[in-house]
């Protein structure tokens, strides 16, 4: 205690584990070399203060005032007073050359790499004393309790993997001072840190840092205000990029504003992309032949339903009804199918239930679910009543009570590409010790429903129809892409704050010959009649992915 009373220190790194992308590139833990001011006395003379002020891009008076007021060591801030002042190598050398007592150029670990972003899946850390009290009691940490000011995961991966991330020793810089807070020059600045080769741990995600950044920039350039974009690796269902709008700032969380919430795993009304589930149910239950002909007059004639095409499609087959997104065809199919047939098919395709990677007793400890905030969505909401034909007709066009997440929507495409097997999307692939050795691999696995899966034949039929959507249906705008694309568009009617709005969707994959990526785009709160921005974003997204593989 006597030694500690003669120290003035600052935490450079709290010792929390870090995240990397799939290639091992850092997603957290950015190191910034910054000048650290220590509250020592006496202060440097006016000449030294003036030299230092030039280096720190401030005035001598401002520097002297701030230095005089501090009680604890603190990093010098930039002009906006938000971020630590970044020192270039030449400025580090210049600062060292000034030989001024009470200021040191030191490496400060900044938790998050950028300010605002669409990476809500990463989450944030915050002080949660009640949580820490509970942990200390539950795990009997009385001998070495977790400090109540320790920052722990508040959402996202920071929360789901918090037990693996916390617990490392912090790194601290300090100067030894005498009773008058004068630096003891013979000792100088010292740094204490962890001496374990194993901690803190490093968690490798499935995210591709370059693609994530490019997709975020795409949503920024297109002025997307509300929505989400999800990109999956079709080989194993891994999440390559996941972007939520509006963006959030992990260092300045506004819980009331809601930007921290991940819309990619929040359930929304799907509109016509849900016709993929109805088509699968009709094929599986043999409720309709692909070439069966229907008559679309534009107005369905009951349940206040109509087709999007004024005047109707006229004579149209089941297959053409999917390709051209005919509401009349699918309302009729909804009436033919039972509620159980619709709901069970949805479950078999990963809709209406959680699909994110999870495991019981992970590493012999507690259960783990990788994806925080993930919602299951739903198909019906009848509170025990059997859905009548009107409910089923409205459900069949993706309206009424149907809800699904962009993650489920993208994974629906992966399911078709795997002959009907639902894969469990991962955000984390492995956990490593500080020295790089492997602690655990979170192996890919499926998320098959208790009801089973749809047949490979049905899955392949629907993939063929998705291709026709692009070649001759509602997705013809995608025909001239450098990749051959396939997909399905959707427009859902919603009411927000008393206003009638549309949510636009597009799901699909590319290239058709050798599929690499599946994606879902959700654009929310568009005025009725607005151009279909989701289709345009899907085109540009696939452009980004094609160039990454070129």
């Amino acid at each position: 205690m006597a030694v500690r009373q003669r120290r003035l220190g600052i935490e450079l790194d709290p010792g929390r584990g870090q995240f990397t992308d799939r290639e091992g590139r850092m997603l957290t833990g950015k190191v910034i070399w910054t000048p650290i001011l220590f509250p020592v006395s006496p202060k440097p003379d006016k000449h030294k203060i003036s030299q230092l002020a030039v280096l720190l891009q401030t005035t001598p008076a401002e520097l002297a005032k701030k230095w005089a007021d501090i009680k604890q060591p603190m990093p010098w801030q930039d002009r906006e007073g938000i971020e630590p002042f970044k020192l270039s190598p030449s400025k580090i050398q210049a600062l060292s050359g000034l030989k001024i007592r009470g200021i040191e150029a030191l490496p400060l670990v900044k938790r998050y790499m950028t300010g605002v972003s669409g990476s809500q899946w990463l989450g944030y850390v915050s002080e949660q004393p009640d949580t820490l009290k509970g942990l200390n009691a539950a795990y009997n940490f009385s001998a070495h309790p977790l400090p109540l000011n320790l920052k722990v995961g508040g959402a996202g991966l920071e929360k789901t993997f918090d037990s693996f991330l916390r617990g490392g020793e912090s790194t601290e810089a300090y100067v030894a001072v005498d009773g008058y807070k004068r630096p003891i020059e013979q000792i100088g600045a010292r740094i204490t840190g962890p001496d374990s080769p194993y901690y803190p741990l490093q968690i490798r995600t499935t995210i591709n840092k370059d693609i994530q950044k490019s997709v975020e920039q795409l949503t920024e350039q297109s002025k997307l205000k509300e929505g989400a974009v999800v990109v999956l690796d079709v080989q194993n269902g891994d999440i390559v990029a996941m972007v939520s709008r509006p963006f959030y700032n992990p260092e300045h969380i506004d819980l009331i504003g809601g930007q921290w919430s991940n819309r990619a795993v929040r359930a929304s009304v799907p509109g016509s992309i849900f016709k993929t589930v109805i088509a699968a149910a009709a094929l599986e239950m043999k409720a309709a032949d692909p070439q069966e002909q229907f008559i679309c007059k534009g107005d369905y004639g009951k349940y206040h339903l109509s087709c999007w095409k004024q005047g109707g499609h006229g004579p149209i087959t089941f297959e053409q009804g999917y390709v051209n997104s005919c509401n009349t065809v699918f309302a009729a199919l909804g009436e033919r199918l039972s509620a159980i047939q619709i709901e069970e098919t949805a479950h078999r395709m990963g809709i209406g239930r959680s699909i994110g990677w999870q495991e019981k007793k992970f590493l012999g400890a507690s259960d783990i679910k990788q994806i925080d905030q993930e919602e299951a969505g739903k198909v019906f909401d009848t509170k025990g009543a059997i859905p009548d034909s009107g409910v089923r007709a409205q459900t069949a066009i993706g309206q009424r009570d149907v809800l699904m997440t962009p993650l489920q929507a993208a994974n629906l495409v992966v399911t078709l590409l795997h002959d009907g097997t639902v894969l469990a999307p991962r955000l984390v692939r492995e956990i490593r010790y500080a020295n790089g050795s492997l602690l655990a691999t979170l192996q890919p696995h499926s998320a098959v429903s208790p009801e089973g899966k749809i047949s490979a034949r049905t899955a392949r039929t629907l993939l063929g129809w998705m291709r026709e959507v692009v070649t001759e249906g509602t997705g013809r705008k995608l025909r001239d892409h450098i990749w051959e694309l396939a997909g399905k568009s959707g427009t859902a009617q919603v009411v927000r704050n008393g206003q009638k709005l549309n949510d636009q969707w597009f799901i699909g994959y590319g290239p058709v010959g050798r599929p690499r990526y599946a994606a879902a785009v959700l654009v929310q709160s568009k005025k009725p009649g607005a151009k279909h921005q989701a289709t345009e974003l899907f085109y540009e997204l696939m452009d980004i992915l094609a160039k990454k593989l070129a």
Side-chain angles (χ1 to χ4, degrees), residues 30-34 83-87 106-110:
K30 183 178 182 180
V31 177
I32 299 173
W33 281 86
T34 189
E83 299 290 336
F85 186 88
K86 297 177 184 177
L87 289 172
L106 295 171
L108 184 69
V109 175
K110 188 172 180 288

Side-chain angles (χ1 to χ4, degrees), residues 48 76 103 119 283 376 424 441:
K48 290 285 189 181
W76 180 255
I103 184 168
S119 302
L283 291 170
T441 299

Side-chain angles (χ1 to χ4, degrees), residues 237-517:
D238 281 353
I239 300 170
V240 177
M242 182 186 282
V243 175
S244 177
R245 300 285 310 202
F247 285 173
Y248 86 128
N249 187 336
E251 293 178 328
H252 301 282
I253 294 297
D254 178 8
L255 293 176
I256 297 175
Q259 284 89 344
W260 65 275
S261 181
N262 185 1
R263 296 193 185 212
V265 294
R266 295 289 192 184
S268 299
V269 183
S272 291
I273 64 169
F274 190 72
K275 290 173 181 173
T276 307
V277 173
I278 299 300
L283 291 170
E284 292 282 282
M285 308 304 166
K286 295 182 172 50
D289 183 89
Q291 300 310 312
E292 179 183 347
Q293 195 169 86
F294 296 77
I295 302 296
C296 174
K297 298 178 180 179
D299 186 357
Y300 190 61
K302 49 185 175 178
Y303 314 130
H304 305 288
L305 293 177
S306 61
C307 190
W308 64 269
K309 186 173 183 180
Q310 194 170 7
H313 290 95
I316 185 169
T317 66
F318 173 19
E319 179 178 349
Q320 291 170 337
Y322 181 87
V323 172
N324 292 284
S325 203
C326 176
N327 286 348
T328 297
V329 171
F330 280 83
L333 292 173
E335 288 196 84
R336 289 185 192 180
L337 294 162
S338 71
I340 291 176
Q341 289 172 333
I342 293 172
E343 194 158 45
E344 285 190 354
T345 303
H347 289 173
R348 287 171 181 166
M349 301 177 78
I351 310 301
R353 60 189 179 90
S354 298
I355 55 169
W357 194 101
Q358 54 187 296
E359 190 168 302
K360 299 285 187 182
K361 304 296 181 184
F362 180 65
L363 294 181
S366 57
D367 301 347
I368 191 167
K369 292 181 68 174
Q370 286 194 11
I371 303 174
D372 183 38
Q373 305 176 47
E374 183 191 6
E375 294 182 349
K378 61 183 177 181
V379 180
F380 296 107
D381 186 14
T382 55
K383 296 180 174 61
I386 298 175
D388 60 26
S389 59
V391 171
R392 298 197 307 275
Q394 292 171 324
T395 299
I397 62 172
Q399 291 288 159
R400 189 74 186 196
D401 304 316
V402 189
L403 294 173
M404 61 191 292
T405 69
L407 177 63
Q408 289 173 329
N411 205 55
L412 174 63
V413 180
V414 175
T415 297
L416 298 179
L417 289 166
H418 282 261
D419 287 341
T421 299
V422 180
L423 301 186
R426 288 187 305 175
L427 262 175
V428 170
R429 58 195 304 178
E430 62 185 29
I431 304 173
R432 291 188 175 272
Y433 291 110
N435 63 6
S437 58
L438 185 66
L439 168 62
T441 299
L442 291 77
Q443 295 287 357
H445 59 65
S446 61
V448 178
S449 167
E451 290 96 335
K453 60 189 281 295
I454 63 168
S455 68
R457 181 177 179 179
T458 294
R460 292 168 188 173
T461 297
L462 292 174
L463 289 174
W465 291 5
M466 281 186 168
R467 177 58 182 155
E468 289 180 50
V469 168
V470 172
T471 57
E472 55 190 81
T474 55
R476 288 190 295 273
K477 290 182 179 179
L478 306 175
R479 283 185 297 186
D480 62 345
H481 197 274
I482 55 177
W483 274 356
E484 287 188 347
L485 302 176
K488 181 74 183 77
S489 62
T491 302
Q493 298 174 348
V494 297
V495 177
R496 291 196 178 98
N497 300 320
Q499 187 178 5
K500 291 183 178 179
L501 298 167
N502 286 344
D503 282 357
Q504 301 172 349
W505 291 82
F506 199 94
I507 61 173
Y509 69 97
V512 169
R514 297 183 63 187
R516 294 294 301 273
Y517 297 107

